[in-house]
Amino acid sequence: MISDSASIGQEGKRVFSLSEITASIERMFSKYYASPYWIRAELSKLNHYPQSGHCYPDLVERQEGKIKAQLRGVIWRDELFEIARKFEEVTREPFREGISIMFLAYVKFTSEYGLSLQIIDIEPLYTLGELAREKMETISRLKKEGIFNSNRLLELPLLPKRLAVISAQTSKGYSDLMITLENNPWGYRFNTRLFHALLQGDGAVDSIRKQLGIIRDNQEQFDAVLIIRGGGDEIGMACYDNYLLARDVACFPLPVITGIGHSTNETVVEMVAGINKITPTDVAHFLIGCFRSFSDRIKAAEQMLLPGVMVVLETNAARFNTLSGSLLNLVKNTLREESDLVEQQALVVREATNVAVFNHRIALSRYESGLTMRPAQILGSHRATLLEQQKMLGLTTRYLVSNQLKEIGTVDSRVKLLDPVGVLKRGFTITRLKGRGIAPGNLPDPGDLLETESASGKFISVVSEKKSI
Amino acid sequence: MSKSITYTQAIAELETIVSEIENASIGVDELSEKVKRAAELIRFCRNKLTSTEKEVNSILKSIEDENDE
Amino acid sequence: MSKSITYTQAIAELETIVSEIENASIGVDELSEKVKRAAELIRFCRNKLTSTEKEVNSILKSIEDENDE
Amino acid sequence: MSKSITYTQAIAELETIVSEIENASIGVDELSEKVKRAAELIRFCRNKLTSTEKEVNSILKSIEDENDE
Amino acid sequence: MSKSITYTQAIAELETIVSEIENASIGVDELSEKVKRAAELIRFCRNKLTSTEKEVNSILKSIEDENDE
Amino acid sequence: MSKSITYTQAIAELETIVSEIENASIGVDELSEKVKRAAELIRFCRNKLTSTEKEVNSILKSIEDENDE
Amino acid sequence: MSKSITYTQAIAELETIVSEIENASIGVDELSEKVKRAAELIRFCRNKLTSTEKEVNSILKSIEDENDE
């Protein structure tokens, strides 16, 4: 391949000039690499020269962090413009360093510049896929490390008043934030401190991470960190899918509030941030809203306080009014009941007394009737007794007299029976001697003159004979 | 007969007489005498009884009459 | 008859007299006298009873009258 | 009758008398006296009752009148 | 009546008296006295109730008046 | 009334008194005293409520006024 | 009010007080005190909304210096 025109050097050695060599290589490359190739590589450095408008990117392929291959590329001004436009249009990222790209390039070798890949076209969909893949990797890594939700779990103070704002002073987003915060109609006061940082594209990750580091060292001075971006185009957001930045945000000890203003996919940083609002104005409204809700709570407490107090007072007033009311009624009832009791007792006294008197009267009248009946009976029985005695007197007296009469009669008849007159009447006679009856001592001797008395008269006779018995 | 004799004495005397008479120890001469006496006594007693009866009846009658009043 | 005699005594005496008459322990001589006495006693008792009755009735009447007042 | 007698004593005495009369343990001689005494006691008791009733009624009336005031 | 008696004591005594009267354990002699005492007690109780009512009303009135102020 | 009593104690005591009166465990003798005490408590409670209301209103007013500034 | 209280504690305490009052778990005795405290807390919280934290600013200065390096 080396041309014959090459000169012979000292000691018989064949020596070529550099151009001879490069020319030879150039011929070889143009022969073997005549058509362009689709190549994928990482765009490590862009090396854009604004004056010429050309770009001489460093292209590398890494394996496990180490460079496996690297080659210089070149994009001429005209192609660069077209490539960048097409890239940005599809990926919404600037054509910048640190991204993987798939491009169409000639493998060129020139004597002047050596080996390079002349990039003439790009396939942005590849990069888009790569970015998406990186984003997915970032997410899954954060999740795997268990820190994906860390910042979101932090509690935002009720009044996020002391705010570390990571933004660019000149950005519209920062300005929107500050104007909205300061012009709140309620006079809420926010203490903000701007931490200047690049917010997109190359350098944004490092810049933001550096400021986060400073804030972390002073974390007790702040209530929250705001990452504010806005006003520009929505190009170059891929930095917010960066693992390192996302990890810093996720692990940040203060709640991170993002307002990085875009309307497409949520970035990982926004996902892991404690609170994500789209625009800086939203962030400001959110913060004011926190104050509002705090204020509302105070107001609510304040408004509830008076009715609550009134209810307590009214309840108590009602309670003791009821008590005093029932006191009155109870006392009246008690007195009425007692009065009824007393009057009832009075009635009972009256009745009982009347009953007692009546009963005594009954008892008395019982004695009285006992008294009235008996004396007549007693006297009657005495009268009867007396009458009986009287009758007895008559009977006995009469009996006595008649008895005596009867006895006298008996005696009379006995006497009459023995009366000599009676004997004489039956034919017996009495013979007397010398006037005396015949008896021993007065016995007649013959011759004596005897006088015989009979019922019919007296006879005188003489005793003729005396006979012994 | 003496007025001073009582019915009781009269009865007593009468009983003595009757008893004497009945004992037959009395002679006919006395007998007549005794009988005479006895008759006297009997008469006395009868009179006494009759008068007493009248008196008593009169008293009793008066009480009974009062009773009926 | 003595005024100092009581109804009880009078009745007792009366009963004694009646009993004596019944038992014939009273002679005919006293009989009239006794009956007279008995009659007196009866009369006394009767009066006593009557007067007592009147008195009692009067008393009771007065109580009753008072009661009706 | 002594003024010092109480109603209760009067009733007791009355009871005794009535009981005596009822049991006929009182003779005719005392009867009148007893009845008289009993009448006195009844009268006493009656008066006592009446006066008590009046007194009590007057007292109770006064209470009632007060009540109506 | 002793001033030192309380309403409660008065009512108790009153009830005792009433019960005694009802059970007829009080004789006529004491009745009047007891009724007099009962009347006194009733009067006492009534006065006590009236005065208490007045007092209480005055107290409660004063509270109400204050309330209306 | 002791100054050291609280509203809560006062209401509790008041309720006790009312309940005692309701249960008739207070006699007429004590009633007046108890009502007096109850009145004191009511007055105390009322004053306490009134003063509290004033105080509270003044505090709440001051907050509102500040709010309007 | 203790200086060491934070507004977070303050609002919590305020809301606790309000809730206690609403639930009527606060008696009249404490009410005034509680309302006073609530007023203090309201004032404190209100100030917090509009006040600036000077000491923070001074510390921020030093950060700025660092930042500019």
Side-chain angles (χ1 to χ4, degrees), chain F residues 6-9 48-49 52 55-56 59-60 62-64 66-67, chain G residues 27-33 35-40 42-43 46:
Chain F
T6 66
Y7 181 90
T8 308
Q9 290 168 330
K48 183 82 185 173
L49 276 180
T52 300
E55 204 172 342
V56 161
I59 294 166
L60 293 176
S62 78
I63 298 174
E64 267 172 45
E66 278 167 33
N67 206 19
Chain G
V28 173
D29 298 303
E30 307 152 273
L31 191 62
S32 187
E33 211 51 50
V35 170
K36 207 175 283 172
R37 174 69 179 162
E40 254 177 9
I42 287 170
R43 205 171 282 127
R46 253 190 216 149

Side-chain angles (χ1 to χ4, degrees), chain B residues 7-8 55 59 63 66-67, chain C residues 28-29 32 36 39 43 46:
Chain B
Y7 180 89
T8 307
E55 207 176 342
I59 293 164
I63 296 172
E66 279 168 30
N67 213 19
Chain C
V28 173
D29 301 303
S32 182
K36 209 176 283 172
R43 201 171 285 119
R46 208 186 265 149

Side-chain angles (χ1 to χ4, degrees), chain F residues 7-60:
Chain F
Y7 181 90
T8 308
Q9 290 168 330
I11 280 283
E13 193 181 340
L14 188 59
E15 274 171 350
T16 305
I17 291 172
V18 168
S19 153
E20 281 173 351
I21 293 173
E22 201 168 17
N23 298 337
S25 58
I26 279 179
V28 171
D29 298 303
E30 306 153 274
L31 194 60
S32 186
E33 210 51 49
K34 285 283 179 181
V35 170
K36 207 175 283 172
R37 175 65 180 162
E40 252 177 11
L41 292 168
I42 287 170
R43 199 172 287 124
F44 171 78
C45 286
R46 200 186 272 149
N47 290 343
K48 183 82 185 173
L49 276 180
T50 309
S51 68
T52 300
E53 195 173 9
K54 272 183 195 160
E55 204 172 342
V56 161
N57 276 339
S58 137
I59 294 166
L60 293 176

Side-chain angles (χ1 to χ4, degrees), chain A residues 182-247:
Chain A
E182 279 163 16
N183 289 351
N184 80 79
W186 300 284
Y188 302 146
R189 296 293 265 279
F190 297 91
N191 297 98
T192 58
R193 174 69 183 101
L194 177 67
F195 291 84
H196 188 78
L198 290 175
L199 291 156
Q200 64 197 67
D202 301 340
V205 169
D206 288 344
S207 171
I208 293 171
R209 288 187 67 206
K210 187 193 169 199
Q211 293 296 39
L212 285 173
I214 294 168
I215 297 165
R216 190 189 293 115
D217 292 342
N218 291 281
Q219 57 178 276
E220 68 280 357
Q221 304 302 328
F222 297 101
D223 296 321
V225 175
L226 273 51
I227 300 175
I228 295 300
R229 192 205 78 106
D233 48 27
E234 294 183 2
I235 305 294
M237 301 290 282
C239 59
Y240 295 107
D241 291 328
N242 179 274
Y243 166 74
L244 293 172
L245 178 57
R247 189 191 64 191

Side-chain angles (χ1 to χ4, degrees), chain D residues 3-5 12-13 15 19 21-22 25-26 28 30 33-34 38 40-42 46 48-49 57 59 62 67:
Chain D
K3 283 279 170 193
S4 65
I5 197 172
E13 195 181 338
E15 206 173 359
S19 156
I21 290 174
E22 275 193 330
S25 60
I26 274 178
V28 174
E30 306 153 275
E33 210 51 48
K34 287 283 180 180
E40 251 177 9
L41 291 168
I42 285 170
R46 222 186 248 154
K48 182 82 183 173
L49 276 178
N57 278 339
I59 294 165
S62 76
N67 202 23

Side-chain angles (χ1 to χ4, degrees), chain A residues 12 17 42 45 69 84 97 113 120 124 137 140 157 167 218 248 250 266 291 307 332 378 405 416 424 441:
Chain A
S17 70
E42 184 187 322
K45 280 248 177 189
E97 298 167 358
Y113 300 113
I120 54 168
E137 268 174 17
S140 66
S167 190
N218 291 281
D248 278 3
E266 204 178 20
F291 275 61
K332 279 186 175 162
I378 292 169
L405 280 170
K416 281 204 174 110
L424 294 178

